[in-house]
mmCIF file of all heavy atoms in Angstrom:
data_model
loop_
_atom_site.group_PDB
_atom_site.id
_atom_site.type_symbol
_atom_site.label_atom_id
_atom_site.label_comp_id
_atom_site.label_asym_id
_atom_site.label_seq_id
_atom_site.Cartn_x
_atom_site.Cartn_y
_atom_site.Cartn_z
ATOM 1 N N ALA A 1 4.419 7.067 -0.426
ATOM 2 C CA ALA A 1 4.680 8.317 -1.140
ATOM 3 C C ALA A 1 4.427 8.057 -2.615
ATOM 4 O O ALA A 1 4.757 6.990 -3.131
ATOM 5 C CB ALA A 1 6.120 8.765 -0.926
ATOM 6 N N SER A 2 3.812 9.013 -3.280
ATOM 7 C CA SER A 2 3.574 8.843 -4.712
ATOM 8 C C SER A 2 4.911 8.699 -5.435
ATOM 9 O O SER A 2 5.936 9.194 -4.981
ATOM 10 C CB SER A 2 2.790 10.033 -5.266
ATOM 11 O OG SER A 2 3.510 11.224 -5.070
ATOM 12 N N SER A 3 4.879 8.028 -6.551
ATOM 13 C CA SER A 3 6.091 7.776 -7.315
ATOM 14 C C SER A 3 6.611 9.051 -7.963
ATOM 15 O O SER A 3 5.839 9.894 -8.424
ATOM 16 C CB SER A 3 5.800 6.741 -8.403
ATOM 17 O OG SER A 3 6.909 6.580 -9.246
ATOM 18 N N GLN A 4 7.926 9.150 -8.020
ATOM 19 C CA GLN A 4 8.547 10.264 -8.736
ATOM 20 C C GLN A 4 8.393 10.102 -10.242
ATOM 21 O O GLN A 4 8.475 11.070 -10.975
ATOM 22 C CB GLN A 4 10.033 10.348 -8.391
ATOM 23 C CG GLN A 4 10.318 10.683 -6.962
ATOM 24 C CD GLN A 4 11.817 10.642 -6.672
ATOM 25 O OE1 GLN A 4 12.568 9.931 -7.328
ATOM 26 N NE2 GLN A 4 12.235 11.410 -5.691
ATOM 27 N N ASN A 5 8.182 8.869 -10.690
ATOM 28 C CA ASN A 5 8.045 8.589 -12.114
ATOM 29 C C ASN A 5 7.068 7.431 -12.284
ATOM 30 O O ASN A 5 7.433 6.272 -12.111
ATOM 31 C CB ASN A 5 9.407 8.251 -12.723
ATOM 32 C CG ASN A 5 9.346 8.051 -14.216
ATOM 33 O OD1 ASN A 5 8.289 7.745 -14.775
ATOM 34 N ND2 ASN A 5 10.476 8.207 -14.876
ATOM 35 N N GLN A 6 5.834 7.746 -12.635
ATOM 36 C CA GLN A 6 4.781 6.736 -12.783
ATOM 37 C C GLN A 6 5.030 5.765 -13.942
ATOM 38 O O GLN A 6 4.408 4.711 -13.998
ATOM 39 C CB GLN A 6 3.423 7.426 -12.996
ATOM 40 C CG GLN A 6 2.932 8.197 -11.804
ATOM 41 C CD GLN A 6 2.363 7.284 -10.733
ATOM 42 O OE1 GLN A 6 1.723 6.286 -11.024
ATOM 43 N NE2 GLN A 6 2.613 7.622 -9.491
ATOM 44 N N ASP A 7 5.941 6.109 -14.838
ATOM 45 C CA ASP A 7 6.264 5.196 -15.938
ATOM 46 C C ASP A 7 7.175 4.056 -15.472
ATOM 47 O O ASP A 7 7.307 3.044 -16.157
ATOM 48 C CB ASP A 7 6.960 5.945 -17.077
ATOM 49 C CG ASP A 7 6.023 6.946 -17.754
ATOM 50 O OD1 ASP A 7 4.802 6.706 -17.767
ATOM 51 O OD2 ASP A 7 6.529 7.961 -18.261
ATOM 52 N N ILE A 8 7.817 4.230 -14.304
ATOM 53 C CA ILE A 8 8.733 3.214 -13.777
ATOM 54 C C ILE A 8 8.182 2.534 -12.537
ATOM 55 O O ILE A 8 8.227 1.313 -12.414
ATOM 56 C CB ILE A 8 10.108 3.851 -13.461
ATOM 57 C CG1 ILE A 8 10.758 4.356 -14.747
ATOM 58 C CG2 ILE A 8 11.019 2.849 -12.739
ATOM 59 C CD1 ILE A 8 12.044 5.124 -14.535
ATOM 60 N N LEU A 9 7.637 3.326 -11.603
ATOM 61 C CA LEU A 9 7.206 2.804 -10.302
ATOM 62 C C LEU A 9 5.801 3.275 -9.974
ATOM 63 O O LEU A 9 5.483 4.452 -10.136
ATOM 64 C CB LEU A 9 8.167 3.302 -9.214
ATOM 65 C CG LEU A 9 7.818 2.951 -7.771
ATOM 66 C CD1 LEU A 9 7.991 1.457 -7.526
ATOM 67 C CD2 LEU A 9 8.687 3.746 -6.807
ATOM 68 N N LYS A 10 4.976 2.345 -9.515
ATOM 69 C CA LYS A 10 3.630 2.691 -9.063
ATOM 70 C C LYS A 10 3.387 2.086 -7.687
ATOM 71 O O LYS A 10 4.018 1.104 -7.299
ATOM 72 C CB LYS A 10 2.574 2.174 -10.045
ATOM 73 C CG LYS A 10 2.600 2.896 -11.373
ATOM 74 C CD LYS A 10 1.454 2.490 -12.247
ATOM 75 C CE LYS A 10 1.520 3.266 -13.560
ATOM 76 N NZ LYS A 10 0.468 2.862 -14.475
ATOM 77 N N VAL A 11 2.465 2.699 -6.972
ATOM 78 C CA VAL A 11 2.032 2.170 -5.684
ATOM 79 C C VAL A 11 1.224 0.902 -5.963
ATOM 80 O O VAL A 11 0.428 0.861 -6.902
ATOM 81 C CB VAL A 11 1.167 3.219 -4.950
ATOM 82 C CG1 VAL A 11 0.512 2.642 -3.717
ATOM 83 C CG2 VAL A 11 2.009 4.429 -4.603
ATOM 84 N N PRO A 12 1.422 -0.156 -5.147
ATOM 85 C CA PRO A 12 0.639 -1.374 -5.378
ATOM 86 C C PRO A 12 -0.854 -1.128 -5.173
ATOM 87 O O PRO A 12 -1.251 -0.236 -4.420
ATOM 88 C CB PRO A 12 1.179 -2.356 -4.339
ATOM 89 C CG PRO A 12 1.993 -1.572 -3.386
ATOM 90 C CD PRO A 12 2.326 -0.269 -4.015
ATOM 91 N N LYS A 13 -1.659 -1.916 -5.839
ATOM 92 C CA LYS A 13 -3.112 -1.811 -5.692
ATOM 93 C C LYS A 13 -3.519 -2.233 -4.279
ATOM 94 O O LYS A 13 -2.867 -3.061 -3.655
ATOM 95 C CB LYS A 13 -3.812 -2.683 -6.727
ATOM 96 C CG LYS A 13 -3.563 -2.215 -8.153
ATOM 97 C CD LYS A 13 -4.445 -2.967 -9.119
ATOM 98 C CE LYS A 13 -4.169 -2.579 -10.543
ATOM 99 N NZ LYS A 13 -4.399 -1.221 -10.878
ATOM 100 N N ARG A 14 -4.617 -1.648 -3.801
ATOM 101 C CA ARG A 14 -5.108 -1.920 -2.457
ATOM 102 C C ARG A 14 -5.299 -3.431 -2.232
ATOM 103 O O ARG A 14 -4.901 -3.952 -1.193
ATOM 104 C CB ARG A 14 -6.431 -1.188 -2.214
ATOM 105 C CG ARG A 14 -7.075 -1.516 -0.870
ATOM 106 C CD ARG A 14 -8.335 -0.740 -0.633
ATOM 107 N NE ARG A 14 -8.092 0.665 -0.471
ATOM 108 C CZ ARG A 14 -7.717 1.243 0.660
ATOM 109 N NH1 ARG A 14 -7.548 0.516 1.734
ATOM 110 N NH2 ARG A 14 -7.519 2.538 0.723
ATOM 111 N N ALA A 15 -5.876 -4.122 -3.190
ATOM 112 C CA ALA A 15 -6.114 -5.561 -3.031
ATOM 113 C C ALA A 15 -4.806 -6.321 -2.853
ATOM 114 O O ALA A 15 -4.738 -7.280 -2.064
ATOM 115 C CB ALA A 15 -6.890 -6.104 -4.228
ATOM 116 N N ALA A 16 -3.754 -5.915 -3.552
ATOM 117 C CA ALA A 16 -2.453 -6.582 -3.426
ATOM 118 C C ALA A 16 -1.848 -6.322 -2.050
ATOM 119 O O ALA A 16 -1.260 -7.227 -1.441
ATOM 120 C CB ALA A 16 -1.508 -6.113 -4.531
ATOM 121 N N VAL A 17 -1.992 -5.090 -1.545
ATOM 122 C CA VAL A 17 -1.483 -4.769 -0.205
ATOM 123 C C VAL A 17 -2.235 -5.586 0.844
ATOM 124 O O VAL A 17 -1.631 -6.200 1.734
ATOM 125 C CB VAL A 17 -1.603 -3.254 0.089
ATOM 126 C CG1 VAL A 17 -1.220 -2.947 1.528
ATOM 127 C CG2 VAL A 17 -0.747 -2.450 -0.876
ATOM 128 N N GLU A 18 -3.546 -5.624 0.729
ATOM 129 C CA GLU A 18 -4.353 -6.387 1.684
ATOM 130 C C GLU A 18 -4.008 -7.872 1.645
ATOM 131 O O GLU A 18 -3.923 -8.535 2.678
ATOM 132 C CB GLU A 18 -5.841 -6.161 1.415
ATOM 133 C CG GLU A 18 -6.285 -4.754 1.755
ATOM 134 C CD GLU A 18 -7.724 -4.451 1.376
ATOM 135 O OE1 GLU A 18 -8.373 -5.290 0.701
ATOM 136 O OE2 GLU A 18 -8.199 -3.356 1.735
ATOM 137 N N SER A 19 -3.774 -8.396 0.463
ATOM 138 C CA SER A 19 -3.393 -9.806 0.329
ATOM 139 C C SER A 19 -2.038 -10.077 0.993
ATOM 140 O O SER A 19 -1.874 -11.084 1.698
ATOM 141 C CB SER A 19 -3.341 -10.182 -1.155
ATOM 142 O OG SER A 19 -2.916 -11.505 -1.318
ATOM 143 N N ALA A 20 -1.063 -9.188 0.785
ATOM 144 C CA ALA A 20 0.265 -9.358 1.394
ATOM 145 C C ALA A 20 0.152 -9.336 2.917
ATOM 146 O O ALA A 20 0.839 -10.100 3.614
ATOM 147 C CB ALA A 20 1.214 -8.265 0.917
ATOM 148 N N ILE A 21 -0.722 -8.494 3.441
ATOM 149 C CA ILE A 21 -0.907 -8.402 4.886
ATOM 150 C C ILE A 21 -1.581 -9.662 5.412
ATOM 151 O O ILE A 21 -1.155 -10.240 6.415
ATOM 152 C CB ILE A 21 -1.699 -7.134 5.246
ATOM 153 C CG1 ILE A 21 -0.840 -5.905 4.944
ATOM 154 C CG2 ILE A 21 -2.148 -7.155 6.706
ATOM 155 C CD1 ILE A 21 -1.600 -4.604 4.911
ATOM 156 N N ARG A 22 -2.620 -10.117 4.734
ATOM 157 C CA ARG A 22 -3.319 -11.338 5.180
ATOM 158 C C ARG A 22 -2.402 -12.558 5.152
ATOM 159 O O ARG A 22 -2.462 -13.407 6.023
ATOM 160 C CB ARG A 22 -4.535 -11.590 4.292
ATOM 161 C CG ARG A 22 -5.729 -10.768 4.668
ATOM 162 C CD ARG A 22 -6.981 -11.289 3.956
ATOM 163 N NE ARG A 22 -7.991 -10.268 3.979
ATOM 164 C CZ ARG A 22 -8.309 -9.470 2.966
ATOM 165 N NH1 ARG A 22 -7.686 -9.597 1.807
ATOM 166 N NH2 ARG A 22 -9.239 -8.563 3.081
ATOM 167 N N GLU A 23 -1.552 -12.645 4.114
ATOM 168 C CA GLU A 23 -0.637 -13.784 3.985
ATOM 169 C C GLU A 23 0.302 -13.915 5.176
ATOM 170 O O GLU A 23 0.719 -15.018 5.514
ATOM 171 C CB GLU A 23 0.228 -13.634 2.723
ATOM 172 C CG GLU A 23 -0.483 -13.811 1.429
ATOM 173 C CD GLU A 23 0.386 -13.402 0.249
ATOM 174 O OE1 GLU A 23 1.611 -13.223 0.412
ATOM 175 O OE2 GLU A 23 -0.169 -13.242 -0.844
ATOM 176 N N THR A 24 0.665 -12.788 5.765
ATOM 177 C CA THR A 24 1.692 -12.801 6.808
ATOM 178 C C THR A 24 1.161 -12.423 8.186
ATOM 179 O O THR A 24 1.929 -12.345 9.138
ATOM 180 C CB THR A 24 2.830 -11.830 6.440
ATOM 181 O OG1 THR A 24 2.283 -10.525 6.225
ATOM 182 C CG2 THR A 24 3.541 -12.299 5.187
ATOM 183 N N ASN A 25 -0.136 -12.198 8.304
ATOM 184 C CA ASN A 25 -0.707 -11.802 9.581
ATOM 185 C C ASN A 25 -0.923 -13.030 10.454
ATOM 186 O O ASN A 25 -1.513 -14.019 10.015
ATOM 187 C CB ASN A 25 -2.034 -11.068 9.360
ATOM 188 C CG ASN A 25 -2.396 -10.183 10.513
ATOM 189 O OD1 ASN A 25 -1.900 -10.376 11.619
ATOM 190 N ND2 ASN A 25 -3.256 -9.224 10.252
ATOM 191 N N LEU A 26 -0.464 -12.960 11.693
ATOM 192 C CA LEU A 26 -0.636 -14.083 12.614
ATOM 193 C C LEU A 26 -2.086 -14.247 13.059
ATOM 194 O O LEU A 26 -2.511 -15.346 13.366
ATOM 195 C CB LEU A 26 0.265 -13.888 13.847
ATOM 196 C CG LEU A 26 1.760 -13.871 13.563
ATOM 197 C CD1 LEU A 26 2.527 -13.551 14.833
ATOM 198 C CD2 LEU A 26 2.196 -15.212 13.003
ATOM 199 N N ASP A 27 -2.838 -13.153 13.092
ATOM 200 C CA ASP A 27 -4.233 -13.186 13.519
ATOM 201 C C ASP A 27 -5.130 -12.983 12.298
ATOM 202 O O ASP A 27 -5.222 -11.876 11.784
ATOM 203 C CB ASP A 27 -4.489 -12.096 14.560
ATOM 204 C CG ASP A 27 -5.934 -12.055 15.038
ATOM 205 O OD1 ASP A 27 -6.751 -12.891 14.574
ATOM 206 O OD2 ASP A 27 -6.243 -11.196 15.869
ATOM 207 N N PRO A 28 -5.821 -14.045 11.839
ATOM 208 C CA PRO A 28 -6.656 -13.896 10.642
ATOM 209 C C PRO A 28 -7.845 -12.965 10.846
ATOM 210 O O PRO A 28 -8.448 -12.510 9.884
ATOM 211 C CB PRO A 28 -7.123 -15.330 10.352
ATOM 212 C CG PRO A 28 -6.970 -16.053 11.640
ATOM 213 C CD PRO A 28 -5.862 -15.396 12.390
ATOM 214 N N ASN A 29 -8.182 -12.655 12.090
ATOM 215 C CA ASN A 29 -9.308 -11.760 12.374
ATOM 216 C C ASN A 29 -8.882 -10.309 12.580
ATOM 217 O O ASN A 29 -9.725 -9.453 12.850
ATOM 218 C CB ASN A 29 -10.061 -12.249 13.621
ATOM 219 C CG ASN A 29 -10.636 -13.629 13.394
ATOM 220 O OD1 ASN A 29 -11.177 -13.917 12.334
ATOM 221 N ND2 ASN A 29 -10.504 -14.493 14.381
ATOM 222 N N ALA A 30 -7.597 -10.029 12.478
ATOM 223 C CA ALA A 30 -7.106 -8.667 12.673
ATOM 224 C C ALA A 30 -7.664 -7.763 11.574
ATOM 225 O O ALA A 30 -7.755 -8.165 10.418
ATOM 226 C CB ALA A 30 -5.584 -8.633 12.655
ATOM 227 N N PRO A 31 -8.056 -6.544 11.945
ATOM 228 C CA PRO A 31 -8.560 -5.620 10.919
ATOM 229 C C PRO A 31 -7.447 -5.217 9.957
ATOM 230 O O PRO A 31 -6.278 -5.184 10.333
ATOM 231 C CB PRO A 31 -9.038 -4.416 11.741
ATOM 232 C CG PRO A 31 -8.283 -4.498 13.018
ATOM 233 C CD PRO A 31 -8.009 -5.956 13.265
ATOM 234 N N LEU A 32 -7.832 -4.918 8.738
ATOM 235 C CA LEU A 32 -6.862 -4.451 7.751
ATOM 236 C C LEU A 32 -6.511 -2.992 8.035
ATOM 237 O O LEU A 32 -7.356 -2.224 8.500
ATOM 238 C CB LEU A 32 -7.419 -4.600 6.340
ATOM 239 C CG LEU A 32 -7.561 -6.049 5.865
ATOM 240 C CD1 LEU A 32 -8.366 -6.110 4.576
ATOM 241 C CD2 LEU A 32 -6.199 -6.675 5.682
ATOM 242 N N PRO A 33 -5.278 -2.597 7.761
ATOM 243 C CA PRO A 33 -4.869 -1.217 8.045
ATOM 244 C C PRO A 33 -5.427 -0.232 7.023
ATOM 245 O O PRO A 33 -5.810 -0.612 5.920
ATOM 246 C CB PRO A 33 -3.348 -1.286 7.941
ATOM 247 C CG PRO A 33 -3.101 -2.372 6.962
ATOM 248 C CD PRO A 33 -4.184 -3.394 7.223
ATOM 249 N N ALA A 34 -5.428 1.032 7.415
ATOM 250 C CA ALA A 34 -5.735 2.097 6.465
ATOM 251 C C ALA A 34 -4.559 2.196 5.497
ATOM 252 O O ALA A 34 -3.407 1.962 5.873
ATOM 253 C CB ALA A 34 -5.921 3.414 7.208
ATOM 254 N N ILE A 35 -4.843 2.526 4.250
ATOM 255 C CA ILE A 35 -3.806 2.639 3.227
ATOM 256 C C ILE A 35 -3.959 4.001 2.556
ATOM 257 O O ILE A 35 -5.037 4.335 2.070
ATOM 258 C CB ILE A 35 -3.922 1.507 2.183
ATOM 259 C CG1 ILE A 35 -3.803 0.148 2.862
ATOM 260 C CG2 ILE A 35 -2.878 1.675 1.083
ATOM 261 C CD1 ILE A 35 -4.180 -1.025 1.988
ATOM 262 N N ASP A 36 -2.867 4.782 2.574
ATOM 263 C CA ASP A 36 -2.903 6.129 1.999
ATOM 264 C C ASP A 36 -1.760 6.324 1.021
ATOM 265 O O ASP A 36 -0.726 5.671 1.118
ATOM 266 C CB ASP A 36 -2.737 7.194 3.092
ATOM 267 C CG ASP A 36 -3.927 7.257 4.026
ATOM 268 O OD1 ASP A 36 -5.062 7.118 3.554
ATOM 269 O OD2 ASP A 36 -3.698 7.451 5.230
ATOM 270 N N ILE A 37 -1.958 7.278 0.110
ATOM 271 C CA ILE A 37 -0.905 7.714 -0.799
ATOM 272 C C ILE A 37 -0.761 9.217 -0.611
ATOM 273 O O ILE A 37 -1.762 9.944 -0.651
ATOM 274 C CB ILE A 37 -1.256 7.403 -2.270
ATOM 275 C CG1 ILE A 37 -1.494 5.906 -2.460
ATOM 276 C CG2 ILE A 37 -0.154 7.911 -3.198
ATOM 277 C CD1 ILE A 37 -2.062 5.545 -3.815
ATOM 278 N N VAL A 38 0.462 9.671 -0.358
ATOM 279 C CA VAL A 38 0.717 11.105 -0.209
ATOM 280 C C VAL A 38 1.761 11.525 -1.224
ATOM 281 O O VAL A 38 2.537 10.701 -1.706
ATOM 282 C CB VAL A 38 1.185 11.471 1.225
ATOM 283 C CG1 VAL A 38 0.122 11.135 2.239
ATOM 284 C CG2 VAL A 38 2.493 10.807 1.559
ATOM 285 N N LYS A 39 1.787 12.790 -1.530
ATOM 286 C CA LYS A 39 2.817 13.293 -2.445
ATOM 287 C C LYS A 39 4.177 13.151 -1.793
ATOM 288 O O LYS A 39 4.321 13.318 -0.593
ATOM 289 C CB LYS A 39 2.541 14.738 -2.814
ATOM 290 C CG LYS A 39 1.323 14.879 -3.678
ATOM 291 C CD LYS A 39 1.269 16.245 -4.308
ATOM 292 C CE LYS A 39 0.023 16.304 -5.154
ATOM 293 N NZ LYS A 39 0.269 16.726 -6.469
ATOM 294 N N GLN A 40 5.177 12.858 -2.590
ATOM 295 C CA GLN A 40 6.533 12.591 -2.101
ATOM 296 C C GLN A 40 7.040 13.697 -1.177
ATOM 297 O O GLN A 40 7.572 13.422 -0.120
ATOM 298 C CB GLN A 40 7.484 12.424 -3.288
ATOM 299 C CG GLN A 40 8.891 12.074 -2.939
ATOM 300 C CD GLN A 40 9.085 10.603 -2.650
ATOM 301 O OE1 GLN A 40 8.203 9.791 -2.816
ATOM 302 N NE2 GLN A 40 10.243 10.248 -2.195
ATOM 303 N N ASN A 41 6.862 14.963 -1.537
ATOM 304 C CA ASN A 41 7.395 16.045 -0.716
ATOM 305 C C ASN A 41 6.599 16.244 0.569
ATOM 306 O O ASN A 41 7.072 16.859 1.504
ATOM 307 C CB ASN A 41 7.494 17.355 -1.506
ATOM 308 C CG ASN A 41 6.165 17.773 -2.099
ATOM 309 O OD1 ASN A 41 5.185 17.054 -2.008
ATOM 310 N ND2 ASN A 41 6.147 18.934 -2.718
ATOM 311 N N LEU A 42 5.393 15.717 0.655
ATOM 312 C CA LEU A 42 4.604 15.811 1.883
ATOM 313 C C LEU A 42 4.964 14.717 2.884
ATOM 314 O O LEU A 42 4.678 14.841 4.065
ATOM 315 C CB LEU A 42 3.103 15.731 1.570
ATOM 316 C CG LEU A 42 2.515 16.908 0.813
ATOM 317 C CD1 LEU A 42 1.034 16.661 0.533
ATOM 318 C CD2 LEU A 42 2.699 18.194 1.582
ATOM 319 N N MET A 43 5.608 13.650 2.414
ATOM 320 C CA MET A 43 5.957 12.539 3.296
ATOM 321 C C MET A 43 6.871 13.007 4.429
ATOM 322 O O MET A 43 6.643 12.665 5.587
ATOM 323 C CB MET A 43 6.628 11.415 2.509
ATOM 324 C CG MET A 43 7.032 10.229 3.369
ATOM 325 S SD MET A 43 5.657 9.384 4.159
ATOM 326 C CE MET A 43 5.145 8.346 2.833
#
């Protein structure tokens, strides 16, 4: 969900999310997930 206040909280960058997933994924060949950002009230 998009941040309520971009001056305090932001969504992590795609590369950082992908890195966190690769670090902890048991299967190194597993495809990376889709990553989306939606408005808070749409969540």
Side-chain angles (χ1 to χ4, degrees):
S2 60
S3 174
Q4 295 176 333
N5 184 337
Q6 293 283 323
D7 293 331
I8 296 174
L9 175 70
K10 291 187 179 177
V11 171
K13 295 189 183 298
R14 175 177 293 277
V17 174
E18 291 174 352
S19 177
I21 292 165
R22 279 193 198 102
E23 289 170 14
T24 56
N25 203 339
L26 297 175
D27 179 1
N29 298 318
L32 291 169
I35 301 168
D36 292 321
I37 302 171
V38 298
K39 291 194 180 232
Q40 183 81 7
N41 56 355
L42 292 178
M43 179 63 83

